[in-house]
Amino acid sequence: MTILENAALVLRCFGNNCTDLTVSEVSERLGLPKASASRLLKSMRETGMLEEIGGSRRHRPGRMMLNLSAAFRYSSGVIGRARAAVHELSQAFGHTGYVSIRDGRQVLAIADFEGTNALRVGASVGNKLPAERCATGRSLLARLAPAEVALLYPDGPVAERLASQLERIRRTGYSFSSQETTPGVDGLAVAVGDPVTSEAVSLCLVYPHNLVSEAERNTMIDAMLDSAGGIAEAVGDPLFRAAERRVPA
Amino acid sequence: MTILENAALVLRCFGNNCTDLTVSEVSERLGLPKASASRLLKSMRETGMLEEIGGSRRHRPGRMMLNLSAAFRYSSGVIGRARAAVHELSQAFGHTGYVSIRDGRQVLAIADFEGTNALRVGASVGNKLPAERCATGRSLLARLAPAEVALLYPDGPVAERLASQLERIRRTGYSFSSQETTPGVDGLAVAVGDPVTSEAVSLCLVYPHNLVSEAERNTMIDAMLDSAGGIAEAVGDPLFRAAERRVPA
DNA sequence: ACAACCGTTCCATTATTCGAAACAATTATC
DNA sequence: GATAATTGTTTCGAATAATGGAACGGTTGT
């Protein structure tokens, strides 16, 4: 087991409800001897991958790590464009928006824009969600061929329901969820991808369920499809074409 | 030279105008043999620290790294509060806002909020700036004792000018820069810190020089001091007290 | 098709990492 | 405030992974 793997495992601990770690926590979570955990954290501290929080013995990612997400964001053309688009959409409708990518069966928000409405959904970039259970995730899954989806989700009631949902998304071009992840919160998502790098991102708006009429929702969907369509055209996304033929809601 | 140090050096390459790396670039920048660079990137790929961009031979930070900045942000109370405050300030005035921390003689933006005005300053989190040459940086330097500043900036004309600037900031509680970093762009900054973790952050607003009158600027300064004062009170920042006695502009 | 460049793999040598237990320092409990 | 319990650090030889040079595929550009 190389030290790099262990370092990566430590870094993986951060994220969902874990903002800092101690030696014993690492020892326990990775099943490492105390000694190894201690030395590992020490090395990571010395290289700047971790830093101590205010002289205590808790560790968090070092500030050198803060640059990395920026590098990721700008390394991809689609992501940059999606960020700009969601920012505009978020401003236009006052709702919180996300840009997300899929990682296996999970989706990961890589940018968020908090809405301007008094009642808005809080933004929390970095959270992971199960792809099959949110609008964002399904919009990305819908870009896969049914056979690829089947590889991710073995046969069963879940897979069956998902297949029909994805079929609808492919037909209409957008994805919708109502109070699925969070009670009282609905979400709309549209995905675009770069055929060259084969990277796909999802543009997503989330809003309070009771605050948006069906007419407003359709306005948002149109705006999102417009924005995403612009990106799709710019990067030459062949999969997006189908969405242009979507049936009016 | 442990592999962890080299990995950290690779990660450090990302950020300022560098969103992706190749084997030979790493070999050149770190002065490593091709073979070592190749294996290093391979290992980092396998652990998820890096990923290939769309099957090419360019590498960028892996998506597992995206969680880290979130962990950093939420690991600190001041940072979270500062984010919320700057978000509100940004919305209120329509100008772009930042939250930054100091790292030696540099400042690093850890959160940004793009303004809503038609003419606004673009946001770019992750950029590093020299601390002595921007409002944000000076607001943070002003929290240090003169002796500590002297350690960072050896005697000379720069240090002398800086000392008088910091003195003014300590007296008024806020920091101002006019077209210093970017032509046409002014900035206002106020710093707060957590005495427990001894972490200090700066709240900053940037706006087009020609668009803001002196009266408007004073309104912004008041609002920023209000927001920061609230944070200072909540976390018990002893250094902020002085700012309450600031002379009206 | 050729050349130039970039990236990967092989090898023995070298240096780092490993786990166990003893040691030190912290925090919790009485 | 003293003791106990938990948490973090250091030391050691044995084991393992990292190193750089050179030879080997693969890709790009002319």
Side-chain angles (χ1 to χ4, degrees):
Chain A
M1 187 68 70
T2 135
I3 196 180
L4 211 57
E5 291 177 56
N6 283 328
L9 288 174
V10 169
L11 294 176
R12 265 179 219 284
C13 292
F14 293 106
N16 276 335
N17 305 320
C18 174
T19 58
D20 53 66
L21 291 168
T22 65
V23 169
S24 22
E25 278 171 355
V26 170
S27 164
E28 195 177 340
R29 292 174 78 142
L30 305 193
L32 255 67
K34 287 184 306 182
S36 304
S38 176
R39 266 171 313 173
L40 178 57
L41 291 200
K42 185 183 180 184
S43 304
M44 293 180 73
R45 234 181 297 141
E46 284 166 355
T47 58
M49 291 189 179
L50 295 182
E51 65 182 37
E52 290 183 307
I53 303 182
S56 73
R57 98 212 71 214
R58 291 176 307 170
H59 295 72
R60 70 175 168 203
R63 48 196 66 186
M64 65 158 284
M65 298 303 207
L66 296 178
N67 284 333
L68 301 180
S69 38
F72 187 95
R73 287 204 284 264
Y74 297 115
S75 70
S76 159
V78 250
I79 296 177
R81 291 169 196 269
R83 279 175 59 85
V86 170
H87 182 251
E88 276 184 29
L89 289 165
S90 169
Q91 294 288 338
F93 296 105
H95 300 308
T96 297
Y98 289 98
V99 177
S100 306
I101 54 177
R102 186 177 60 85
D103 197 10
R105 300 202 294 195
Q106 295 192 308
V107 282
L108 178 64
I110 58 178
D112 58 12
F113 301 90
E114 236 180 78
T116 52
N117 293 340
L119 182 55
R120 62 179 185 241
V121 182
S124 61
V125 70
N127 264 2
K128 283 180 182 170
L129 288 174
E132 79 280 11
R133 293 218 321 262
C134 59
T136 307
R138 287 195 296 267
S139 74
L140 289 164
L141 288 172
R143 293 179 59 86
L144 299 176
E148 290 174 298
V149 177
L151 279 175
L152 285 168
Y153 299 93
D155 283 341
V158 173
E160 208 164 311
R161 177 145 178 274
L162 184 60
S164 82
Q165 288 178 307
L166 297 188
E167 199 281 320
R168 191 184 180 286
I169 295 169
R170 291 194 192 96
R171 198 157 34 80
T172 60
Y174 73 93
S175 168
F176 174 59
S177 74
S178 183
Q179 313 198 56
E180 201 169 348
T181 306
T182 318
V185 171
D186 290 4
L188 290 170
V190 175
V192 260
D194 184 336
V196 178
T197 62
S198 63
E199 290 180 309
V201 299
S202 170
L203 325 195
C204 177
L205 287 178
V206 288
Y207 53 86
H209 175 73
N210 293 321
L211 235 68
V212 173
S213 70
E214 199 176 322
E216 288 177 283
R217 194 174 77 204
N218 285 328
T219 312
M220 286 200 279
I221 294 173
D222 285 339
M224 292 177 75
L225 285 171
D226 261 9
S227 296
I231 301 176
E233 196 176 355
V235 301
D237 180 5
L239 285 172
F240 196 82
R241 289 285 166 85
E244 290 174 21
R245 290 184 272 119
R246 87 191 174 88
V247 290
Chain B
M1 187 68 70
T2 138
I3 195 181
L4 210 57
E5 291 177 55
N6 283 328
L9 288 174
V10 169
L11 294 177
R12 266 180 218 285
C13 292
F14 293 107
N16 276 335
N17 305 321
C18 174
T19 59
D20 53 66
L21 291 168
T22 64
V23 168
S24 19
E25 278 171 355
V26 169
S27 163
E28 195 177 341
R29 293 174 79 139
L30 305 193
L32 254 63
K34 287 184 306 183
S36 304
S38 176
R39 267 169 311 170
L40 178 58
L41 291 200
K42 184 184 180 186
S43 304
M44 293 180 73
R45 234 181 298 141
E46 284 166 354
T47 58
M49 290 188 179
L50 296 182
E51 65 182 39
E52 288 183 306
I53 304 183
S56 73
R57 103 213 65 207
R58 292 175 307 169
H59 295 72
R60 70 176 167 203
R63 47 194 67 184
M64 64 158 285
M65 298 303 206
L66 295 178
N67 283 334
L68 301 180
S69 39
F72 188 95
R73 286 203 285 266
Y74 297 118
S75 70
S76 158
V78 252
I79 295 176
R81 291 170 198 269
R83 279 175 59 84
V86 171
H87 181 252
E88 275 184 32
L89 289 165
S90 169
Q91 294 287 337
F93 296 104
H95 300 309
T96 297
Y98 288 97
V99 177
S100 306
I101 54 177
R102 186 178 60 86
D103 197 10
R105 300 202 292 195
Q106 295 191 308
V107 283
L108 178 64
I110 58 178
D112 58 12
F113 301 90
E114 237 181 78
T116 53
N117 293 341
L119 182 56
R120 63 181 184 239
V121 182
S124 61
V125 71
N127 264 3
K128 283 181 182 170
L129 288 174
E132 80 280 10
R133 293 218 321 261
C134 59
T136 307
R138 287 194 296 266
S139 75
L140 289 164
L141 289 172
R143 293 179 59 86
L144 298 176
E148 291 174 298
V149 178
L151 279 175
L152 285 168
Y153 298 94
D155 283 341
V158 173
E160 207 164 313
R161 177 145 179 274
L162 184 60
S164 83
Q165 288 177 308
L166 297 189
E167 198 281 318
R168 191 183 180 286
I169 294 169
R170 291 195 193 97
R171 199 157 33 79
T172 60
Y174 73 93
S175 169
F176 174 59
S177 74
S178 184
Q179 313 199 57
E180 201 169 348
T181 307
T182 319
V185 171
D186 290 5
L188 290 170
V190 175
V192 259
D194 184 335
V196 178
T197 61
S198 61
E199 290 181 309
V201 300
S202 171
L203 325 195
C204 177
L205 288 178
V206 287
Y207 53 86
H209 174 73
N210 294 321
L211 234 67
V212 173
S213 69
E214 199 176 323
E216 287 178 285
R217 194 174 78 203
N218 286 328
T219 312
M220 286 199 279
I221 294 172
D222 285 338
M224 292 177 76
L225 285 171
D226 260 8
S227 296
I231 300 175
E233 198 176 352
V235 301
D237 180 5
L239 285 172
F240 195 81
R241 289 286 165 84
E244 291 174 22
R245 288 184 273 118
R246 87 192 174 86
V247 291

